Amino acid sequence: MSELPRSAAGPALPEWTLRAVIAGIVFGVLFGSANAYLGLKAGLTVSTSIPIAVLSLLFFKLARKQSLVLEANMAQTIGSASSSLASGTIFTIPALFMWGMVPEYAQVAVLALLGGVLGILAMIPLRRLLIVQADAELPYPEGRACAEVILASEKDDTGGRAILFGLALGALVKILTSAVHLVPEELSALLPKMPNGVVMLAVSPALLGVGYVVGFRAAAVMLAGTLIASLVLYPLITSVYGQGLEAGAGAAQAELTRSVVRSRFVLYIGAGAVAAAGLWTVIKTMPTMLASLLAVTRGLRGTGNATTAPTDRDLPPVVLMLGLLAVLAVAAFVPGVFAGDLDQASRLLAALGAVVFGFLFVPVSSRLVGVIGVSSNPTSAMALITLLGTSLVFLALGMVGDTTKATVLTIATIVCVAASKAGDISQDLKTGFLVGATPALQQRGQLIAAAVACWAIAGVVWAIGKTQGFGEHGMAAPQATLMKTVVEAVLGASVPWPLVLSGAGLSAAGILAGLPGLPFALGIYLPMGTIAAIFVGGVVRASVERRGKASADRGVLCASGFVAGEGLAGVLIAAWALLQGRGRVNPPAATSLEIAYGLACVLLAVWWLRRSARASD
């Protein structure tokens, strides 16, 4: 990748301005809420730095006086903070809802805030080592790409229009499907000679956008997993189970609906596949994590050559020390932070566990995303290690049961958010390094963003949990299902092991065949409609890439708009349902005309995505 010029004017240009802070907070809350919704639905999130930077530049140009590069960088730094909070929170908190231990809204927000502050502060002493001194070794791909986009978009605002149009279309389709029910949420068709065999396609621009972002390869691997579930597991279980009943195969198959097969069998098989893939990720990345930690430890011995230049100035050490003491004090001495009725000694143990594992994974996360990017950051693997470590400690102390499960999960929430936050701020600091920003101001902006965004992200998770629920009868929340399965297994809860191990076997077979484990397992676990929509987005990406990388990258902006639009509409619909005191509404069966409308929405989204990508030609 070509080297970017550092801004010659540096911090002399406007950087910490009121409009940059406001834009970052507003766009951060919007995109972070949408990312939380997407992660709960599909188990995946997307990077938001580039779309926030482009949109900020678009709005700043309405009052343009001079170069807007540093203001746009500040806005995206603040805005991207919310997405990392979302990534960590959705991995764990939904499991509490699945156990029937509904957390308080404030508790979820405080957990996200503690994790965010821990990740930001722990990254401060590492910035000079990882971002500056290791510039040639660690490219930080999203950070570098964001810098390129900011510099290019200062002269061209068509990217902002692509995001806005994508946002509007995504919101419109979500309203038509989930609010007014004019369009079905899913298109489906039964397969002959295959009991409960169905092909489905979700009417979801957001999922099309996700498929476009992750690309054809990952989307195709997911499709392989969902084909095994939909075209093999469902018909096979229906036929075999039906023939084993005295009522006869025909009657049993008629009673054994697809939802029953999913709740009794496929859900556990899918959870086992996801858990096995997650554990394999831990095993595979453990050497890399240890090497990264050792490299950072060795590198820290040679740091300390701080300068007084604004472009090399961090927040003072006193902020770091007081902030970390505050995190430890709140976690250890404020009742209700960790789930469960804990005494003071147990709260202190939990707080120490969160801080120790958080400090362990912050440098690992930062160094890993420097090579593989924040979208591939194995945050779930770090959360799994935390879950396993803390579960074994509590198990050794004889502490088992529902209280311990909930405590372990909330410890992992802080660590998961901290690791996710470290990866995010590392990319932002790399962008700032390339455009000539002030690190101390970026770090201050991230702390402000974490204090605001934690309430929005907690509101999304809590509102959806209260109205739709998670797991079998609500949002899939696949990553939280993985954490729930691991904790239950370690702490001795009742688990249908034959089904879980069968899923693990399927996941192992895919890994041995050379497939990425987690995407393949997600395909088995998630509904076919969800994965099919992601695959369509991947196909669009493959067709656009034939015209060149520039076209494909341009389409990412429209895809981000799809994600944000549908996610925001979904959050607003859930909030309205919560205010009305009602849960999820199941619409009646779709008519032929409504199915035609749904197909038209999918085709319109595909056409607009391709058109936006080709606009740069």
Side-chain angles (χ1 to χ4, degrees), residues 365-412:
S365 175
S366 179
R367 201 172 191 281
L368 281 176
V369 301
V371 178
I372 62 178
V374 70
S375 299
S376 302
N377 189 8
T379 308
S380 59
M382 301 177 201
L384 274 175
I385 295 173
T386 303
L387 286 173
L388 290 171
T390 52
S391 295
L392 291 173
V393 170
F394 280 109
L395 186 63
L397 296 174
M399 300 172 63
V400 294
D402 292 341
T403 295
T404 303
K405 290 191 300 184
T407 301
V408 166
L409 200 74
T410 45
I411 293 172

Side-chain angles (χ1 to χ4, degrees), residues 95-316:
L96 293 177
F97 286 86
M98 297 180 200
W99 282 327
M101 306 175 187
V102 178
E104 296 292 334
Y105 166 57
Q107 180 188 7
V108 180
V110 169
L111 286 169
L113 176 60
L114 292 177
V117 172
L118 179 61
I120 295 167
L121 295 179
M123 183 58 202
I124 290 176
L126 301 175
R127 185 205 52 96
R128 194 168 290 107
L129 168 66
L130 298 177
I131 307 300
V132 180
Q133 297 178 9
D135 183 39
E137 178 189 0
L138 303 176
Y140 288 95
E142 283 98 346
R144 189 173 292 270
C146 187
E148 291 177 337
V149 169
I150 289 175
L151 294 173
S153 297
E154 191 182 19
K155 302 180 179 64
D156 179 14
D157 60 4
T158 55
R161 292 198 296 270
I163 297 174
L164 290 176
F165 279 115
L167 193 150
L169 181 58
L172 175 62
V173 173
K174 183 61 181 178
I175 291 171
L176 292 176
T177 57
S178 299
V180 300
H181 305 300
L182 181 63
V183 175
E185 295 187 12
E186 235 173 24
L187 308 176
S188 61
L190 292 170
L191 296 177
K193 306 296 184 181
M194 298 184 73
N196 282 329
V198 181
V199 290
M200 296 181 291
L201 174 66
V203 181
S204 171
L207 295 176
L208 289 175
V210 170
Y212 189 93
V213 171
V214 302
F216 177 79
R217 165 67 174 169
V221 171
M222 292 183 192
L223 184 68
T226 204
L227 289 177
I228 289 175
S230 294
L231 305 185
V232 178
L233 294 180
Y234 278 100
L236 183 64
I237 291 171
T238 304
S239 298
V240 173
Y241 187 77
Q243 290 174 0
L245 295 182
E246 296 180 359
Q253 289 174 11
E255 296 172 0
L256 201 61
T257 63
R258 186 176 177 86
S259 62
V260 172
V261 173
R262 175 169 176 76
S263 63
R264 293 184 182 178
F265 301 98
V266 179
L267 195 67
Y268 294 106
I269 295 173
V274 173
L279 292 174
W280 170 248
T281 303
V282 171
I283 296 171
K284 185 175 63 173
T285 58
M286 184 66 75
T288 305
M289 290 184 184
L290 292 175
S292 298
L293 185 61
L294 292 174
V296 171
T297 303
R298 289 193 299 268
L300 282 174
R301 299 171 187 167
T303 60
N305 300 322
T307 69
T308 58
T311 53
D312 195 34
R313 187 171 64 236
D314 295 301
L315 288 177

Side-chain angles (χ1 to χ4, degrees), residues 407-455:
T407 301
V408 166
L409 200 74
T410 45
I411 293 172
T413 302
I414 295 177
V415 176
C416 202
V417 173
S420 180
K421 169 54 62 186
D424 167 71
I425 193 174
S426 297
Q427 298 288 353
D428 294 334
L429 290 171
K430 173 60 74 172
T431 302
F433 171 73
L434 293 170
V435 301
T438 304
L441 295 179
Q442 289 186 279
Q443 293 155 2
R444 181 202 300 175
Q446 284 258 337
L447 288 171
I448 293 174
V452 175
C454 65
W455 300 98

